[in-house]
Amino acid sequence: MIAEIYDANRPLFKLPASHPARQFLEAFVACRQACSGRELPPPLGEAIDQTWWSKLDQRQWTFSGFVYMYVSFTVVLDGWLTDATERTETERLTLEKLPHLEQLLSECRAACHAHGNFRVLAMVDQVGNMLTLWRDCLVSRRDS
C-alpha cells in the first residue's frame, strides 16, 4: 500500500526534503504507517483506539475509523504532478474538507484527554500535523 503512494507520486519524492509536496507525502506515509491498524489486537496491532461522540457529525467515531476513512488511501498530488495552472478539483475538494477533518480530530483529542488515552493522543497529533502539511502543500503550489 505504501509503495502505491511512492509510485503514484514518484517525481515528487525526488524534490528537496524542504519542498512542501515532499514534506506532506513523507508525513502522510509516516502517519499511515504509525496510525493504521493500532486498534487490532497483538500481534497485528496494539489494541488501542479512542471512541467519541461527534457533535459536529452527530455520530459516534473511532480514531481507527477516522484513519481508515481519511488516511488509508493512496493520495496523488495531481496538481503538482501535472503542474496545473489552476487548482485541481481534487485540491479544491481537499481544501474544503480539511477544516472538517481538523474539527473531528479536535473532538478526538478532547476525548483522549478526558480518558487519559495518551497513546492515541500522540497519533491524533501526528495526523493533525500531517493535515497542516497537506494544506500547506496545496496552498503553496498555487502560490509558487
Side-chain angles (χ1 to χ4, degrees), residues 28 32 35-37 39 52 57 59-75 97 100-101 104 127 130-131 134:
F28 186 86
R32 211 169 125 173
C35 301
S36 295
E39 79 288 357
W52 78 96
D57 287 351
R59 63 168 269 209
Q60 185 166 314
W61 275 93
T62 60
F63 177 72
S64 60
F66 179 92
V67 168
Y68 287 123
M69 185 170 287
Y70 298 115
V71 181
S72 296
F73 63 94
T74 300
V75 66
K97 175 177 63 174
H100 182 81
L101 303 184
L104 288 173
V127 173
M130 180 270 297
L131 294 178
W134 202 352

Side-chain angles (χ1 to χ4, degrees), residues 15-81:
L15 294 169
S18 61
H19 193 280
R22 182 168 169 190
Q23 286 181 336
F24 161 68
L25 287 168
E26 289 177 352
F28 186 86
V29 167
C31 193
R32 211 169 125 173
Q33 289 173 325
C35 301
S36 295
R38 297 298 179 235
E39 79 288 357
L40 300 171
L44 300 174
E46 300 175 52
I48 59 170
D49 208 350
Q50 180 63 56
T51 303
W52 78 96
W53 177 259
S54 172
K55 292 179 183 175
L56 182 65
D57 287 351
Q58 294 298 303
R59 63 168 269 209
Q60 185 166 314
W61 275 93
T62 60
F63 177 72
S64 60
F66 179 92
V67 168
Y68 287 123
M69 185 170 287
Y70 298 115
V71 181
S72 296
F73 63 94
T74 300
V75 66
V76 177
L77 295 180
D78 61 342
W80 282 105
L81 291 167

